[in-house]
Amino acid sequence: MSLRSQYCGQVTEAQMGQTVSLCGWVHRRRDHGGVIFIDLRDREGLVQVVCDPDRAAMFATAEGLRNEFCVQVQGLVRPRPAGTENEGMTSGKIEVLCHDITVLNASVTPPFQLDDDNLSETTRLTHRVLDLRRPQMQHNLKLRYRVAMAVRRFLDGQGFIDIETPMLTKSTPEGARDYLVPSRVHDGEFFALPQSPQLFKQMLMVAGFDRYYQITKCFRDEDLRADRQPEFTQIDCETSFLNEQEIRDLFETMIRGVFKDVLDIELATPYPVMTYAEAMARFGSDKPDLRVKMEFTELTDVMADVDFKVFSGPATTPGGRVVALRVPGGGEMSRSEIDAYTEFVKIYGAKGLAWIKVNDVSKGRDGLQSPIVKNLHDAAITAVLQRSGAQNGDLLFFGADKSKVVADAIGALRVKIGHSEFGKSHGLFENVWKPLWVVDFPMFEFDEDNQRWAAVHHPFTAPKDGHEELMDTAPEKCIAKAYDMVLNGWEIGGGSVRIHRAEVQSKVFSALKIGPDEARAKFGFLLDALQYGAPPHGGIAFGLDRIVTMMTGAQSIRDVIAFPKTQRAQCLLTNAPSPVDEKQLKELHIRLRNPQPVA
Amino acid sequence: MSLRSQYCGQVTEAQMGQTVSLCGWVHRRRDHGGVIFIDLRDREGLVQVVCDPDRAAMFATAEGLRNEFCVQVQGLVRPRPAGTENEGMTSGKIEVLCHDITVLNASVTPPFQLDDDNLSETTRLTHRVLDLRRPQMQHNLKLRYRVAMAVRRFLDGQGFIDIETPMLTKSTPEGARDYLVPSRVHDGEFFALPQSPQLFKQMLMVAGFDRYYQITKCFRDEDLRADRQPEFTQIDCETSFLNEQEIRDLFETMIRGVFKDVLDIELATPYPVMTYAEAMARFGSDKPDLRVKMEFTELTDVMADVDFKVFSGPATTPGGRVVALRVPGGGEMSRSEIDAYTEFVKIYGAKGLAWIKVNDVSKGRDGLQSPIVKNLHDAAITAVLQRSGAQNGDLLFFGADKSKVVADAIGALRVKIGHSEFGKSHGLFENVWKPLWVVDFPMFEFDEDNQRWAAVHHPFTAPKDGHEELMDTAPEKCIAKAYDMVLNGWEIGGGSVRIHRAEVQSKVFSALKIGPDEARAKFGFLLDALQYGAPPHGGIAFGLDRIVTMMTGAQSIRDVIAFPKTQRAQCLLTNAPSPVDEKQLKELHIRLRNPQPVA
């Protein structure tokens, strides 16, 4: 005899008049008019169980039940009394008249109520097992599974093969820090946990597997931010013989399908495509949030000769930039609101935040209210108003600094205002899903710290056709076949066409000042592989944690991971990491630098 | 324009008369009668491409092709000339008349021929990318994927949810050695890579997820044998509210479905079920290979008083055992064959291998040929002949020693003879798939080294109903709700019903001499979780690598893993593990015990 005939949350009118057997947890117990009502919970939801006192033994058991007891209930499905139906739940039209209860396992009193929404994260992660019983967490992890399975079904249908790549692999210290694993067999040597399967998936293409994917853990020992974890999950894909457009089309279709399957949402067909240059010009970001209905107005050219150093300085300095951000209706912002935004942009390195309120655009200079208007000549003012399309009642903010500072500060300001109550109430924010492709990334960016060119994507990214020569002559102009999928201001996936010719790969290493010996020591296996008829190939990797965080509307990536680490990289449930035995260290040929006193 | 219209290996008569565009590798080039024939290969197989000299530019390109060049071919599908069809290949009835060839990437001469079947493993693993191009390796990894996907489809249909558990977790030094990962943030502390997600999956059951699975990497830092890898892949499953029989039925159905889907093989319905005690009695193994048609004959009781110390000693010593193994037709074995088997059983600790040839069973003692017959009294000889069912021409081998030595030695001998040419030619080996369940394992075995009881399965396994008390009074009699799925002599999966009550779990820890403090330090999170209404639950884990090795008939587990480690736990392709920078060690608060001289 099975303990269970169906899930609690799935008992409906279809079982009316039948005897069912349910297993679950006491979510709530109410005693009302001599009758005991139990909300019985399992992963599929709640069902109301009614215990009448006329079955004395059963009723005595029911009286002993407390929250989170695990029980089996057998009973008759009957309609709820008229007026007590609950349209909000699947089982809301029925209740189960209890015939028998078996306590499968009692529970001590939980440290918190499952429906308490104000728990600290420390409490939740310490008592993660109970926290995971909360319907929201059940929903999040079930949705995560549905996303992963929708991805697998799609890729399976497209001929992609899941091939596992090693977790114990080689340390290549660049980019993020590696997690290292000492080797017992090889004294003084270490494995590294993979930051991504990048090189292995390329080798699988060279090996002729044609289409590969993997939903796999990657590891980065970085200081953690709200959206980072030491281990995170990547949907990692690679294909041979497709060009950039074909690759993008394929994975755009995949993500569109996932949103349709899991959330019944239709994403734009096709996604807008924007070059990196355009995204930076219009939004100051390579992952623009297109829900925000504001754009930059370029003013660098007209500010060169104004009598205002704050603008003319950056406008006449190479790498400097001046832009405006028009905030429709922003004229009603108070001085204190403007001051708060001025403080906000300082986080991004801006030294201040000039502004103009547009009272009456027809009056030109005289219709403007601002501390800076007097410093701008007529041509500048005309350009500001015409290019921005300013209307009466608008506010214009200005950024003037090095390009990067302007992009970061005014780009963040744009998003901040767009997401604010002001933005939402003034039509500056459209609450929809706004995917796009950002393409044509530069190959290289100059690394000021190390005074050399670094790869924007990674050193295995192919330059655009005809750009090979630029690697030597003008690296800053060299464009990569790289693309990011962006959704509502988040990069959810990034990829590129890879270099498939050994001589081009060597050229990139050379541009990055990675000498032949270093290249061979670190990537010899890749260079070797490219010599044996490597096919044209490319791919993409999606951040599963991030996609699911967005789809569930979770506050944190930690709400879509069953057993996450804290921001200090600890597991509060198991207390990992933890000290280990000296014997273990000895076997691994290592010792602590700062031996701990024995407890 | 796409580079490819279909896979090489999938061009058939259906495309007759059409122009196709194919991408692949030059598998072989033959020049014959002024025409060039190319076998073009991709992951789906080969197609024959014919290059006529009448297209001069194309022909010149074809003349320049060498093995493993990556090319695109456009051409017309036409019938092969009568008499040259190849029934063995999908594309065997057609050929492609080449119109155009583009070299996508040239290849230097490979270090070996892909169809060389005599490559050393070192060569293969060093040049793994080329090795993976071999059709057999392509087949193996594709089959592996199909197995994993069949598992996912089945479990999805049964309501199982894939939930990821941590890779960076807590070290619990027992069982196998952990791989450790030093923590940068927490000086002197370490993560461990999981030996299995056992505790996490149990916590997911306590959290109410009801049905969990994961196809995931597990790690054991053990000395490697032919079928072991430092990282291996487990199909890990757990369910709530099902009893042992229901769990076994479910996963038996899963594996039967996988064999049907992937190999079109029907496994027995239902599997035979055998207790541990019966398996040890009849086959000397808890994973008997039922393809071998020989069994043990129990003789301990009748050998107690024979005038032959070799038998009477073990027969009268507690924990000793005497058995015979009847080898039908074995009478024709030569003395040197018997001597070889005598050497063989010494590997397993046997001191010798007594034998009797049965020349004429009707003559009793006089019909037997053996150095030991004179030492056995009539009752013993009668028992030997009757119980074993000996026939004229048979050979009887004897094992007499401690039970474990007898089981290991005669169990291995049984398999050795069964798999030998002799066994196969004498009907002692049935070449079929023979699955079974082995159940009712003991809870505990005595660990002689540490002089205490140890868990046979793991300490979270539930005792059989009514056996809880035996944990204190007679641990050796306590039976567990543990089960192994065995196939052709391999354990392919193992699992158990778990303990879901904290007080039973404490009792087991106590029987294992794990004190309350140690239990709390190591497993406090599990004990805590069990207090909050943990549901009855149980599960199983399958070894994916091993299942795929068996299904492909591969020689080694390394042939079903894309990038395996050697038996010395090295990756010959990437040279992992490898030395790391002092800076990295410093950040991790560790140093080498034996610093290496700087190269």
Side-chain angles (χ1 to χ4, degrees):
Chain A
M1 257 296 289
S2 286
L3 279 176
R4 178 167 67 193
S5 59
Q6 54 254 103
Y7 284 114
C8 299
Q10 292 178 343
V11 184
T12 66
E13 308 91 282
Q15 285 80 40
M16 201 71 84
Q18 296 176 18
T19 298
V20 293
S21 182
L22 307 174
C23 292
W25 287 266
V26 175
H27 190 64
R28 210 175 284 111
R29 201 197 82 179
R30 282 161 294 139
D31 298 22
H32 186 69
V35 174
I36 296 175
F37 293 89
I38 297 163
D39 286 344
L40 192 65
R41 187 193 70 235
D42 65 15
R43 79 171 197 201
E44 299 301 330
L46 296 170
V47 68
Q48 176 166 295
V49 177
V50 182
C51 304
D52 276 338
D54 53 357
R55 295 181 189 246
M58 178 278 289
F59 194 76
T61 306
E63 284 186 304
L65 296 182
R66 298 290 176 272
N67 281 358
E68 300 309 318
F69 273 38
C70 181
V71 300
Q72 183 205 25
V73 165
Q74 290 175 298
L76 179 74
V77 180
R78 68 179 190 187
R80 290 201 190 191
T84 69
E85 296 94 341
N86 183 339
E87 293 293 334
M89 56 198 292
T90 308
S91 68
K93 292 198 177 133
I94 60 90
E95 60 186 16
V96 174
L97 178 65
C98 187
H99 293 167
D100 200 14
I101 301 179
T102 307
V103 175
L104 298 171
N105 214 348
S107 173
V108 299
T109 304
F112 53 80
Q113 294 281 340
L114 291 204
D115 51 9
D116 183 344
D117 285 333
N118 294 307
L119 300 171
S120 77
E121 183 146 66
T122 301
T123 300
R124 292 180 53 202
L125 293 180
T126 305
H127 301 281
R128 188 58 159 181
V129 179
L130 290 175
D131 186 50
L132 288 173
R133 282 190 187 167
R134 293 143 58 89
Q136 183 62 51
M137 291 304 297
Q138 298 265 323
H139 170 80
N140 289 358
L141 291 179
K142 283 194 284 182
L143 187 138
R144 182 183 178 109
Y145 170 62
R146 289 170 61 209
V147 169
M149 206 59 193
V151 164
R152 289 185 189 281
R153 275 197 211 94
F154 174 83
L155 292 173
D156 186 71
Q158 297 289 325
F160 284 78
I161 298 173
D162 179 352
I163 301 178
E164 296 169 62
T165 55
M167 292 282 117
L168 294 170
T169 179
K170 187 187 170 83
S171 179
T172 52
E174 61 178 54
R177 271 188 217 97
D178 284 323
Y179 276 102
L180 295 184
V181 184
S183 163
R184 179 176 54 86
V185 181
H186 303 277
D187 186 354
E189 302 192 349
F190 293 77
F191 295 102
L193 301 180
Q195 296 189 21
S196 93
Q198 181 63 34
L199 293 173
F200 287 106
K201 71 177 175 175
Q202 291 193 234
M203 287 192 286
L204 289 171
M205 292 303 101
V206 182
F209 284 99
D210 200 70
R211 294 188 164 197
Y212 144 96
Y213 83 99
Q214 203 182 179
I215 301 183
T216 190
K217 284 283 175 70
C218 301
F219 302 84
R220 285 182 202 166
D221 187 9
E222 291 299 298
D223 300 309
L224 303 179
R225 300 194 315 235
D227 59 329
R228 290 275 176 87
Q229 282 279 309
E231 52 181 296
F232 55 98
T233 304
Q234 203 160 285
I235 304 168
D236 193 52
C237 310
E238 196 82 2
T239 172
S240 298
F241 303 119
L242 297 190
N243 64 30
E244 179 181 342
Q245 182 70 51
E246 290 169 318
I247 295 173
R248 283 201 266 113
D249 288 349
L250 185 65
F251 292 103
E252 179 176 321
T253 304
M254 178 176 94
I255 294 295
R256 192 180 296 112
V258 169
F259 272 75
K260 178 69 185 158
D261 284 1
V262 177
L263 295 182
D264 198 23
I265 281 170
E266 307 274 359
L267 296 181
T269 309
Y271 293 180
V273 179
M274 195 178 289
T275 65
Y276 172 85
E278 181 184 351
M280 295 308 289
R282 293 174 58 192
F283 308 106
S285 170
D286 59 2
K287 39 182 186 282
D289 185 345
L290 297 188
R291 294 174 302 176
V292 175
K293 310 272 113 187
M294 293 182 283
E295 296 191 17
F296 288 12
T297 300
E298 187 65 53
L299 296 170
T300 311
D301 56 330
V302 294
M303 295 300 178
D305 58 351
V306 296
D307 185 20
F308 185 44
K309 265 275 182 214
V310 170
F311 286 5
S312 64
T316 53
T317 308
R321 189 180 182 194
V322 183
V323 303
L325 182 74
R326 177 167 82 90
V327 183
E332 65 191 60
M333 276 190 198
S334 69
R335 192 58 190 260
S336 69
E337 284 175 278
I338 293 176
D339 289 346
Y341 286 127
T342 307
E343 286 307 305
F344 174 75
V345 296
K346 288 180 181 169
I347 300 169
Y348 300 90
K351 289 182 279 292
L353 185 63
W355 54 269
I356 296 177
K357 283 190 176 175
V358 182
N359 294 331
D360 186 344
V361 75
S362 69
K363 293 187 184 159
R365 172 187 300 273
D366 296 336
L368 306 180
Q369 174 191 344
S370 163
I372 65 162
V373 168
K374 62 179 181 300
N375 302 316
L376 305 183
H377 52 54
D378 287 349
I381 286 185
T382 304
V384 165
L385 295 178
Q386 286 187 349
R387 292 188 191 175
S388 69
Q391 304 289 318
N392 296 348
D394 289 356
L395 176 68
L396 297 163
F397 281 121
F398 292 85
D401 209 312
K402 283 185 205 154
S403 276
K404 183 171 176 354
V405 173
V406 169
D408 290 351
I410 306 301
L413 178 67
R414 170 182 170 273
V415 171
K416 179 84 172 171
I417 295 173
H419 287 229
S420 69
E421 280 313 309
F422 174 89
K424 286 174 181 164
S425 62
H426 284 71
L428 306 183
F429 183 84
E430 194 184 352
N431 192 14
V432 291
W433 296 95
K434 284 282 196 182
L436 77 155
W437 287 105
V438 177
V439 303
D440 287 1
F441 280 79
M443 277 288 280
F444 306 107
E445 65 192 343
F446 198 71
D447 174 354
E448 297 285 349
D449 292 344
N450 296 300
Q451 285 293 305
R452 64 175 185 182
W453 292 97
V456 168
H457 196 64
H458 55 53
F460 317 108
T461 301
K464 267 209 176 295
D465 299 338
H467 283 223
E468 289 86 350
E469 292 311 314
L470 291 173
M471 289 196 269
D472 294 332
T473 57
E476 73 283 1
K477 290 187 186 152
C478 187
I479 301 290
K481 291 183 179 173
Y483 34 83
D484 279 356
M485 189 186 288
V486 175
L487 182 61
N488 291 2
W490 294 72
E491 179 208 327
I492 61 169
S496 63
V497 173
R498 325 300 183 186
I499 296 165
H500 70 284
R501 288 179 193 274
E503 68 273 19
V504 179
Q505 187 63 69
S506 297
K507 236 175 142 70
V508 170
F509 285 150
S510 148
L512 295 170
K513 299 278 182 287
I514 299 174
D517 290 347
E518 187 185 353
R520 174 131 298 276
K522 284 184 179 168
F523 308 115
F525 52 97
L526 177 70
L527 291 171
D528 285 347
L530 294 180
Q531 292 191 322
Y532 296 110
H537 63 288
I540 194 165
F542 293 92
L544 178 62
D545 309 291
R546 190 174 283 177
I547 291 174
V548 177
T549 302
M550 296 185 74
M551 290 177 84
T552 56
Q555 289 298 307
S556 155
I557 197 178
R558 291 183 292 280
D559 282 346
V560 302
I561 296 173
F563 301 105
K565 305 285 187 296
T566 64
Q567 285 181 262
R568 296 205 65 229
Q570 276 180 305
C571 172
L572 298 182
L573 176 68
T574 61
N575 280 322
S578 56
V580 299
D581 295 345
E582 177 64 18
K583 175 167 172 286
Q584 291 175 279
L585 299 181
K586 205 162 185 177
E587 284 185 325
L588 299 174
H589 320 290
I590 59 171
R591 61 173 101 239
L592 302 183
R593 277 181 191 257
N594 309 304
Q596 313 289 308
V598 176
Chain B
M1 258 295 289
S2 287
L3 278 176
R4 177 168 67 193
S5 58
Q6 56 254 104
Y7 284 114
C8 299
Q10 293 176 341
V11 184
T12 65
E13 307 90 282
Q15 285 80 39
M16 200 72 84
Q18 296 176 17
T19 299
V20 295
S21 182
L22 307 173
C23 292
W25 287 266
V26 175
H27 190 65
R28 210 175 285 109
R29 200 197 82 181
R30 281 162 295 139
D31 299 22
H32 186 70
V35 175
I36 296 175
F37 293 89
I38 297 162
D39 286 343
L40 192 64
R41 186 193 71 235
D42 64 18
R43 80 170 197 201
E44 299 301 330
L46 297 170
V47 67
Q48 176 166 295
V49 177
V50 182
C51 304
D52 275 339
D54 54 357
R55 295 179 188 247
M58 179 279 288
F59 194 76
T61 305
E63 285 186 304
L65 298 181
R66 298 290 176 271
N67 281 357
E68 301 308 318
F69 274 39
C70 181
V71 301
Q72 183 205 25
V73 165
Q74 291 175 297
L76 179 76
V77 180
R78 68 179 191 187
R80 291 201 190 190
T84 69
E85 297 94 341
N86 183 340
E87 294 293 334
M89 56 199 289
T90 308
S91 68
K93 291 195 178 137
I94 59 89
E95 61 187 16
V96 174
L97 178 65
C98 188
H99 294 166
D100 200 14
I101 301 179
T102 307
V103 175
L104 299 171
N105 213 350
S107 173
V108 298
T109 304
F112 53 80
Q113 293 282 338
L114 291 203
D115 51 9
D116 184 344
D117 285 332
N118 293 307
L119 299 171
S120 77
E121 183 146 66
T122 301
T123 301
R124 291 181 54 203
L125 293 180
T126 305
H127 301 281
R128 188 59 160 182
V129 179
L130 290 175
D131 185 48
L132 288 173
R133 282 190 186 167
R134 293 143 58 92
Q136 183 63 50
M137 291 304 296
Q138 298 264 322
H139 170 79
N140 289 359
L141 291 178
K142 282 194 284 181
L143 187 138
R144 182 184 177 109
Y145 171 62
R146 289 170 62 208
V147 169
M149 205 60 193
V151 164
R152 289 186 188 280
R153 275 196 212 96
F154 174 83
L155 292 173
D156 186 70
Q158 297 289 326
F160 283 78
I161 297 173
D162 179 352
I163 301 178
E164 296 169 63
T165 55
M167 290 284 118
L168 294 171
T169 180
K170 186 186 169 84
S171 178
T172 52
E174 61 178 51
R177 272 189 216 96
D178 284 322
Y179 276 101
L180 295 185
V181 183
S183 163
R184 180 176 55 85
V185 181
H186 303 277
D187 185 354
E189 303 193 349
F190 293 77
F191 295 102
L193 301 180
Q195 295 189 23
S196 94
Q198 181 63 35
L199 293 173
F200 288 106
K201 71 177 175 174
Q202 290 193 233
M203 288 191 286
L204 289 171
M205 292 303 101
V206 182
F209 284 99
D210 201 70
R211 295 187 164 198
Y212 143 96
Y213 83 99
Q214 202 181 180
I215 301 182
T216 190
K217 283 282 175 71
C218 301
F219 302 84
R220 287 184 200 166
D221 188 9
E222 292 299 298
D223 299 308
L224 303 178
R225 300 194 315 234
D227 58 329
R228 289 275 175 87
Q229 283 279 308
E231 52 182 297
F232 56 97
T233 304
Q234 203 159 283
I235 303 168
D236 193 52
C237 309
E238 196 82 2
T239 173
S240 298
F241 303 119
L242 298 190
N243 64 29
E244 179 180 343
Q245 182 70 51
E246 290 169 319
I247 295 172
R248 282 201 266 113
D249 287 350
L250 186 63
F251 292 104
E252 179 176 321
T253 304
M254 177 176 94
I255 294 296
R256 193 180 295 113
V258 169
F259 272 76
K260 178 68 184 160
D261 284 2
V262 177
L263 295 183
D264 198 23
I265 280 170
E266 307 274 0
L267 296 182
T269 309
Y271 292 1
V273 179
M274 196 177 288
T275 65
Y276 173 85
E278 181 183 352
M280 295 307 291
R282 293 174 57 192
F283 309 107
S285 169
D286 59 2
K287 39 182 186 281
D289 184 346
L290 298 188
R291 295 173 301 175
V292 175
K293 309 274 115 187
M294 293 182 283
E295 296 192 16
F296 287 13
T297 300
E298 188 64 53
L299 296 170
T300 312
D301 56 329
V302 295
M303 294 300 178
D305 59 350
V306 295
D307 184 22
F308 185 43
K309 265 274 181 220
V310 171
F311 285 7
S312 63
T316 54
T317 307
R321 189 179 182 195
V322 183
V323 304
L325 181 75
R326 178 167 80 92
V327 183
E332 64 191 60
M333 276 189 196
S334 68
R335 191 59 192 257
S336 69
E337 284 175 279
I338 293 176
D339 288 347
Y341 286 126
T342 306
E343 285 307 304
F344 174 74
V345 295
K346 288 181 182 169
I347 300 170
Y348 300 89
K351 289 181 278 294
L353 185 63
W355 53 269
I356 295 178
K357 282 190 178 175
V358 182
N359 293 329
D360 187 344
V361 75
S362 69
K363 293 186 183 161
R365 173 186 299 275
D366 296 338
L368 305 180
Q369 173 190 346
S370 164
I372 64 161
V373 169
K374 61 179 182 298
N375 302 318
L376 304 183
H377 52 53
D378 285 351
I381 287 185
T382 303
V384 166
L385 294 179
Q386 286 188 351
R387 292 187 190 176
S388 69
Q391 304 290 318
N392 296 348
D394 290 355
L395 177 67
L396 298 162
F397 282 121
F398 292 84
D401 210 311
K402 284 184 203 151
S403 275
K404 183 172 176 355
V405 173
V406 169
D408 290 353
I410 306 303
L413 179 66
R414 171 181 170 273
V415 171
K416 179 84 173 171
I417 295 173
H419 287 229
S420 69
E421 281 313 309
F422 173 88
K424 286 175 180 164
S425 62
H426 285 71
L428 305 183
F429 183 85
E430 194 185 352
N431 192 14
V432 292
W433 295 95
K434 284 282 196 181
L436 77 154
W437 288 105
V438 177
V439 303
D440 287 0
F441 279 78
M443 278 286 281
F444 306 107
E445 65 192 345
F446 197 71
D447 174 354
E448 299 285 349
D449 292 344
N450 296 301
Q451 284 294 305
R452 63 175 187 184
W453 293 97
V456 169
H457 196 64
H458 55 53
F460 318 109
T461 301
K464 266 210 177 295
D465 300 338
H467 283 223
E468 290 86 350
E469 293 311 314
L470 291 173
M471 288 196 270
D472 293 332
T473 57
E476 75 281 2
K477 289 186 187 152
C478 186
I479 301 290
K481 291 183 179 173
Y483 35 82
D484 279 358
M485 189 186 289
V486 174
L487 181 61
N488 291 3
W490 294 73
E491 178 209 326
I492 61 169
S496 63
V497 173
R498 324 301 182 186
I499 296 165
H500 69 285
R501 290 179 192 273
E503 68 273 18
V504 179
Q505 187 63 69
S506 298
K507 236 174 141 70
V508 170
F509 284 150
S510 146
L512 294 170
K513 299 275 180 289
I514 299 175
D517 290 348
E518 187 184 355
R520 174 131 297 274
K522 284 183 178 169
F523 307 115
F525 52 97
L526 177 70
L527 291 171
D528 285 346
L530 293 181
Q531 291 191 321
Y532 296 109
H537 63 287
I540 194 166
F542 293 93
L544 178 62
D545 308 292
R546 190 175 283 177
I547 290 173
V548 177
T549 303
M550 296 184 74
M551 290 177 85
T552 56
Q555 289 297 306
S556 154
I557 197 178
R558 292 184 292 280
D559 282 347
V560 301
I561 295 173
F563 301 104
K565 306 287 187 295
T566 64
Q567 285 180 261
R568 295 205 67 230
Q570 277 180 304
C571 172
L572 298 183
L573 176 67
T574 61
N575 280 322
S578 56
V580 299
D581 294 346
E582 177 63 17
K583 176 166 172 288
Q584 291 175 278
L585 299 180
K586 205 162 183 175
E587 286 184 324
L588 299 174
H589 320 290
I590 58 171
R591 61 173 100 238
L592 302 183
R593 279 180 189 256
N594 309 304
Q596 313 289 306
V598 177

